Amino acid sequence: MKALEEPAPEGPPAPPVEESKPDLSHVWVVAAEVEVIPKIAKVADYRGSFKATEGQRIDALEVYCRGCRRPYDEVTGQDCAAKIDNRHLIGGDQSTRAKRNIPIPPKNSRVVAGGRIQRRGIDAYVGGVSRPPR
């Protein structure tokens, strides 16, 4: 009797599959100061952007990460905190923060109820509650 043999594998073995790691790198942005002519200033104010001329020198005021808003020199070589956990941008862990202090009214004072403020409808718009004047 012949022993059962396993068939030979076809071709070379497959390389191991690497798990993709999340990208925790910073996205660096520069706060800049650019001198422009009045015409470009008007366009930039209206559109929120403008085209700089070729060869124009731009002064960098600050270099920081767009995600964690930390300066370049403080976090160079570290992972971006905003991509790991974004709590630092909202003032820390909300469950452990101290509650707001409610002011205590002075002695011999009493609270008087005010009128009702209309925040919806045409009365709110006419009263200037819905949006501030330009």
Side-chain angles (χ1 to χ4, degrees), residues 21-55:
K21 295 182 180 178
D23 181 23
L24 299 177
S25 61
H26 294 277
V27 177
W28 300 112
V29 293
V30 176
E33 188 173 280
V34 182
E35 188 172 331
V36 294
I37 60 175
K39 181 181 176 184
I40 294 177
K42 183 177 180 180
V43 170
D45 182 50
Y46 179 73
R47 290 194 174 149
S49 65
F50 68 97
K51 291 185 178 181
T53 59
E54 184 177 344

Side-chain angles (χ1 to χ4, degrees), residues 26 28 63 65 68 70-80:
H26 294 277
W28 300 112
V63 179
C65 175
C68 63
R70 305 283 307 277
Y72 178 81
D73 56 347
E74 284 185 18
V75 293
T76 305
Q78 300 174 8
D79 292 337
C80 181

Side-chain angles (χ1 to χ4, degrees), residues 5-20:
E5 296 180 14
E6 293 183 13
E10 297 176 18
V17 178
E18 295 182 23
E19 294 182 22
S20 61

Side-chain angles (χ1 to χ4, degrees), residues 105-113:
K107 293 181 180 181
N108 299 329
S109 65
R110 63 186 173 142
V111 177
V112 178

Side-chain angles (χ1 to χ4, degrees), residues 51-97:
K51 291 185 178 181
T53 59
E54 184 177 344
Q56 183 177 11
R57 182 156 180 89
I58 299 173
D59 298 325
L61 301 176
E62 184 180 11
V63 179
Y64 59 94
C65 175
R66 178 182 285 162
C68 63
R69 305 276 185 190
R70 305 283 307 277
Y72 178 81
D73 56 347
E74 284 185 18
V75 293
T76 305
Q78 300 174 8
D79 292 337
C80 181
K83 293 182 179 178
I84 298 170
D85 186 13
N86 214 9
R87 285 190 209 153
H88 72 286
L89 293 176
I90 57 172
D93 187 8
Q94 300 294 311
S95 64
T96 60
R97 285 178 50 186

